[in-house]
Amino acid sequence: MSNKLIIANWKMNPASVEVAKEIITEINKESKHFGDVNLVVCPPFVYLNEVASVISNSKKIVLGAQDVFVGEGVSHTGEVGIKLLKKAGVEYVLIGHSERRELLDTDQIVKEKMIGALKEGFKVILCVGEKERNEHGDHYHEIKKQIEDAITKLPKKYIKNLIIAYEPVWAVGRTESEAIKPDQLHEISIFIKRLVSDICGPKEVDKIKILYGGSVTKNNAKEIFEKGNVDGLLVGRESLKVKNFTELIKQIKG
Ligand code: 13P
C-alpha cells in the first residue's frame, strides 16, 4: 500500500511570514507521529523559502506551490515560473484549483500548465470539480470534461506523477457539515477511476492517487477518507490550525 497524501493549501494565509514559520514549525514537530501519511504544504509564493528552511530535513513534509507559470523566457511580469519554483525546493504543484479556474485558467491553460510541470519532474495535483449539482447529474459531464481535456493523450510516463483532487466548488469554504457525504464521494471516486482507465488504460489507473477537498476538518476527515474511497485529502482552512490539523492527520494514518 502506498502512502496516504494530505495537501495543505494555505491559499493567501497566514497574514505574516512569522506566523507561517510558527505554523510549519509546530506541524514539523508533530510529523514524527504522521505514520504512513505524507504531507505537502502549499504556502503563498512569498513564504516558500521560509517554509522550505523549516522542513528541509523532513522525511514527511515536502513543499508545494499553488500554481505555476509554464511559458518560455523570463519576461512575464507577475508570474512565477518553473525554474523559480524548483530553486525554492518545490516538488508538487496544484493546477486548476477552482479559485484559479474562476480567474482565468481555462481547461486549455490547465492542460498546458500540467504538461509543462510534469515535463520538469514536478508532481501535479490536478484539481477538478463541478460548480453545483442538479437532479440531472450534470456534474458528471463537468468532471468528465475537465479530466478528459487534461489527460487525453498524456504520455504514460507522466501518469505516476499525477494526482487528481476532486474538489466540488459547492463544498469549498463551507461548514464541515456541508462537505461531501462519504457515499457521494465513493461514487465520484469510482467514476474518476473508470474514466482514467478508459482514457489511459486499465493498468495506469492504480498509479493515480485520488484526493478529496472541500470543508475537511478534524471532525469529518476520517469518515470522508475511509468511506469515500480516496487516497488522501486537500485541506484549506483547517490546515492553518495546527492542533486540529495534526489531529486530522493522526486520525487518518494507518
Ligand atoms: P477549505 O478546506 O477551506 O474548504 O478549502 C478547500 C480548498 O479549496 C483546498 O484546496
Side-chain angles (χ1 to χ4, degrees):
M1 259 294 275
S2 71
N3 277 5
K4 298 157 186 166
L5 190 61
I6 302 270
I7 317 287
N9 179 10
W10 286 1
K11 305 191 181 182
M12 284 190 4
N13 300 296
S16 74
V17 70
E18 288 77 20
V19 179
K21 272 180 113 168
E22 266 171 45
I23 293 173
I24 192 63
T25 303
E26 291 304 310
I27 293 174
N28 195 33
K29 273 189 209 150
E30 285 299 307
S31 66
K32 53 183 176 293
H33 306 297
F34 288 178
D36 60 352
V37 175
N38 287 343
L39 173 63
V40 180
V41 177
C42 305
F45 289 135
V46 288
Y47 303 155
L48 280 172
N49 285 336
E50 282 77 7
V51 171
S53 69
V54 175
I55 59 172
S56 59
N57 293 322
S58 174
K59 293 197 171 57
K60 283 275 135 203
I61 311 176
V62 296
L63 200 58
Q66 297 175 19
D67 190 27
V68 63
F69 178 76
V70 296
E72 297 290 321
V74 291
S75 300
H76 301 287
T77 304
E79 297 289 358
V80 182
I82 286 194
K83 288 202 175 91
L84 294 179
L85 293 183
K86 263 197 178 161
K87 287 238 167 72
V90 166
E91 295 179 35
Y92 286 73
V93 188
L94 283 171
I95 291 179
H97 190 281
S98 57
E99 289 154 10
R100 299 264 352 138
R101 290 181 188 264
E102 204 178 288
L103 291 177
L104 44 82
D105 284 7
T106 59
D107 284 337
Q108 177 61 27
I109 292 173
V110 166
K111 177 157 194 164
E112 282 165 17
K113 288 184 174 184
M114 186 192 79
I115 301 274
L118 287 169
K119 271 188 183 156
E120 292 293 327
F122 287 98
K123 294 194 170 65
V124 167
I125 304 144
L126 171 70
C127 302
V128 300
E130 76 279 6
K131 289 199 182 69
E132 54 191 23
R133 289 195 170 193
N134 60 31
E135 68 276 19
H136 308 300
D138 287 338
H139 58 285
Y140 286 106
H141 300 294
E142 211 174 329
I143 302 164
K144 184 165 183 260
K145 180 171 180 338
Q146 289 171 342
I147 294 178
E148 275 176 351
D149 284 0
I151 69 171
T152 299
K153 298 202 179 125
L154 179 70
K156 285 201 166 49
K157 63 181 175 186
Y158 296 139
I159 288 177
K160 65 177 190 326
N161 282 340
L162 182 65
I163 294 140
I164 296 180
Y166 170 63
E167 275 210 334
V169 181
W170 52 264
V172 171
R174 311 302 282 255
T175 63
E176 64 193 15
S177 62
E178 292 169 284
I180 202 161
K181 300 288 167 276
D183 55 330
Q184 291 175 311
L185 179 59
H186 194 108
E187 241 177 67
I188 294 289
S189 106
I190 291 171
F191 175 74
I192 293 176
K193 282 181 186 164
R194 284 220 183 113
L195 190 58
V196 170
S197 169
D198 289 348
I199 299 170
C200 303
K203 281 194 196 137
E204 307 304 318
V205 69
D206 289 338
K207 296 181 192 160
I208 294 186
K209 278 188 163 54
I210 298 179
L211 315 181
Y212 166 76
S215 301
V216 175
T217 69
K218 68 174 173 40
N219 300 322
N220 62 16
K222 191 172 160 68
E223 199 188 10
I224 288 176
F225 175 76
E226 286 178 356
K227 298 192 187 153
N229 188 29
V230 287
D231 305 293
L233 300 166
L234 174 50
V235 186
R237 290 156 298 164
E238 193 83 331
S239 70
L240 292 141
K241 300 174 193 157
V242 175
K243 222 166 156 273
N244 290 7
F245 188 50
T246 51
E247 197 181 309
L248 181 161
I249 294 174
K250 288 176 206 164
Q251 279 182 22
I252 73 153
K253 76 175 186 183

